[in-house]
Amino acid sequence: MRFVSFYRADGRAVPGFIDQDHSGAACVVDVTLPGNDPWAAALPPDMLSWVDMGLDRLAARLRDCRFAAGARIPLGDGRLAAPLPRPGKIVGAAFNYRDALRERDMAPPATPVIFIKSGRTVIGPDQPVRLAADVGNVTYEAELAVVIGRTALRIDAAQAPAHIAGYLTLNDVSASDMVRADKAFVRGKNQPTFCPCGPWIATPDEVAEPGALAVTLRLDGTLRQAGNTADLVFGVAELIAYASTQMPLDPGDIIATGTPAGVAASHQPAAWLRPGSAMVAEVQGLGALRNPITTDDS
């Protein structure tokens, strides 16, 4: 099942899922609308609670529910939020694509290189990435991301799949000048709006092979990144296992698996993000994530 968060007319972001209407067109189902199946209408009104309850279990139950006629909203008419508007934390992986390492003439790391990105950097589809005047050169980074569904602490790679709630597209926007100046990731990865996510969370049964997904980024229509998760140095299960040895992973945390070759600095001229541009990150089967670029004061 594909889970989303979307904005109601009152501005609240509430959870739902993508289904089809009677004509076969894609729609968003407003699960908690009065008049729906009573069990569904009583669900908590936030996606983090749903993740904690178990998206796979919710999906099985929701497929059997009946919904009011007004509960289905055409996908094109709904305004989607980040599917998980406020995750606990985002654990990012650096230097994790072989093609990106070759591009930089770097050897693969012996163990995963990880960093923390605040959940407060998250924005959703079509929301603007805002560039402050003092952040310097900023790049896009299209990535496959994993939502943690069960607490993981010191697990091994074989146990990791049981802790996955789902997958989504993530754009790890990064202030390259800050990362370079600090020789660390904290400032450069944690500017406001620097983590677009969406458009949905796909449960594991929707993703046949997470180790063989195309990952692309287009900036103003020009293809800038074109990789595949088959090129990951450390795969999804290895990253989850390693991160769980460094800290507890809790339901609603996100693991961002790294980005392929083609970040802004690798192009001639460099393809730094500029106000007025728009980027589209996409992971095969997980939807296209579009975000415009604006100034911080616009």
Side-chain angles (χ1 to χ4, degrees):
M1 184 171 281
R2 293 175 294 171
F3 287 92
V4 297
S5 293
F6 66 98
Y7 292 103
R8 280 185 174 156
D10 62 4
R12 287 189 303 142
V14 295
F17 67 96
I18 296 177
D19 198 9
Q20 294 180 336
D21 63 19
H22 64 279
S23 70
C27 61
V28 174
V29 180
D30 188 344
V31 169
T32 59
L33 195 70
N36 287 340
D37 181 290
W39 175 84
L43 286 171
D46 68 282
M47 185 60 72
L48 185 57
S49 294
W50 285 23
V51 169
D52 200 27
M53 294 171 70
L55 293 185
D56 53 349
R57 292 188 292 275
L58 285 178
R61 185 73 182 268
L62 287 169
R63 290 188 183 100
D64 294 330
C65 288
R66 289 184 293 179
F67 296 97
R72 285 180 164 80
I73 305 162
L75 186 57
D77 294 346
R79 189 162 69 94
L80 297 183
L84 191 57
R86 191 63 73 231
K89 59 181 173 289
I90 299 143
V91 181
F95 316 127
N96 200 38
Y97 270 81
R98 293 183 181 89
D99 63 347
L101 291 166
R102 287 192 298 270
E103 186 175 65
R104 302 176 66 171
D105 195 26
M106 291 176 60
T111 58
V113 178
I114 62 174
F115 58 87
I116 300 296
K117 200 170 176 98
S118 168
R120 291 189 173 272
T121 62
V122 165
I123 59 173
D126 296 311
Q127 292 184 302
V129 170
R130 301 184 183 276
L131 303 182
D134 61 348
V135 299
N137 292 319
V138 176
T139 186
Y140 47 80
E141 294 186 12
E143 309 199 8
L144 168 68
V146 183
V147 178
I148 297 298
R150 292 174 48 207
T151 298
L153 180 62
R154 294 186 290 277
I155 64 170
D156 60 34
Q159 296 170 303
H163 295 262
I164 296 173
Y167 299 89
L168 76 162
T169 301
L170 182 147
N171 190 344
D172 178 23
V173 177
S174 304
S176 296
D177 287 357
M178 288 181 171
V179 172
R180 190 176 301 108
D182 297 347
K183 296 182 173 57
F185 295 110
V186 176
R187 273 201 312 159
K189 298 288 190 178
N190 282 283
Q191 298 300 302
T193 75
F194 272 25
C195 195
C197 292
W200 57 71
I201 299 169
T203 49
D205 59 296
E206 298 259 348
V207 183
E209 181 45 74
L213 301 176
V215 179
T216 60
L217 189 293
R218 285 178 168 80
L219 182 63
D220 294 331
T222 299
L223 184 64
R224 295 295 188 178
Q225 289 184 287
N228 193 289
T229 57
D231 217 20
L232 287 169
V233 177
F234 302 100
V236 168
E238 293 171 285
L239 287 174
I240 293 171
Y242 179 80
S244 80
T245 69
Q246 308 299 301
M247 69 199 88
L249 301 177
D250 298 310
D253 287 350
I254 292 174
I255 306 291
T257 60
T259 200
V263 295
S266 68
H267 296 280
Q268 295 296 329
W272 302 116
L273 299 181
R274 297 286 183 254
S277 290
M279 54 186 171
V280 180
E282 186 167 5
V283 177
Q284 182 181 350
L286 298 179
L289 173 63
R290 180 189 181 277
N291 296 94
I293 315 300
T294 67
T295 58
D296 191 43
D297 56 359
S298 62

